[in-house]
Amino acid sequence: MKAITILTVATMTFSAASAQDAVDFEKQILPILKESCFKCHEKEKEDKGKIKKPKGGLRLDSAEAIIKGGKDYPNENVVAGKPDASWLLKTMALPESDEMAMPPEGKGDRVSAENQALVKKWIESGASFGAWKGVE
Ligand code: HEC
């Protein structure tokens, strides 16, 4: 009887851990992009009479645009399964002094190491957007 109880507890602990492992784009990744990146990487919009285009031709406000990437690194913004090839993560991880560091030097706080690790995990595990499509 005791052995069965231990086994059940072990199984429950294991499934709780794997559920925790799956990164939910909308809940965990989107807020990071909103906070640190949207300011410069949203769909073209009018701001005080001026047209604001997404910087570097990169939009991060839709799943399609995130995969499409920007002008210099098309199709290499998020490469599913390959965090080291994904500029979304690489630019976050660069030292602030690097000209490709994102957000650019003096233009916003660095993404925390904890959040970078989440983004890495999300890309590693296949970069799924779930049901999220974002702005058309
Ligand atoms: C204050 C504005 C600003 C913010 C905030 C910002 N960026 Fe950028 N981003 C730029 C500019 C400007 C460029 C174009 C740089 C160039 O072409 O030399 C760029 C280019 C990029 C590129 C290269 C796109 C390509 O293919 O050419 C990536 C990737 C990128 N940003 C990711 C991010 C991420 C991820 C964040 C949030 C962590 C972020 N950026 C936040 C201004 C910003």
Side-chain angles (χ1 to χ4, degrees):
M1 187 63 199
K2 201 172 174 196
I4 292 172
T5 314
I6 291 168
L7 189 70
T8 312
V9 170
T11 315
M12 277 164 53
T13 312
F14 179 72
S15 43
S18 38
Q20 222 172 46
D21 274 343
V23 181
D24 181 322
F25 177 83
E26 205 168 344
K27 282 204 193 109
Q28 297 170 277
I29 305 298
L30 186 59
I32 304 172
L33 302 183
K34 271 192 180 152
E35 155 119 26
S36 305
C37 321
F38 266 37
K39 196 167 80 172
C40 300
H41 293 291
E42 269 189 305
K43 185 178 181 171
E44 185 173 301
K45 61 179 176 208
E46 221 186 285
D47 186 23
K48 296 176 196 122
K50 274 206 255 171
I51 303 283
K52 262 187 84 181
K53 292 196 173 184
K55 301 277 193 272
L58 176 68
R59 277 178 54 188
L60 298 175
D61 58 357
S62 88
E64 202 186 323
I66 289 174
I67 294 302
K68 186 168 154 240
K71 65 173 170 45
D72 290 339
Y73 310 105
N75 306 313
E76 289 176 11
N77 186 49
V78 168
V79 185
K82 296 190 176 150
D84 294 347
S86 301
W87 284 92
L88 179 90
L89 178 65
K90 286 205 274 187
T91 55
M92 286 178 188
L94 286 168
E96 191 167 20
S97 57
D98 192 289
E99 62 173 57
M100 269 319 290
M102 292 289 150
E105 192 168 12
K107 298 282 172 68
D109 293 336
R110 312 297 302 147
V111 174
S112 70
E114 202 184 15
N115 282 344
Q116 286 184 33
L118 259 181
V119 173
K120 183 168 185 220
K121 204 159 149 191
W122 171 68
I123 296 175
E124 259 168 5
S125 59
S128 163
F129 292 95
W132 186 81
K133 290 206 164 52
V135 180
E136 272 191 31

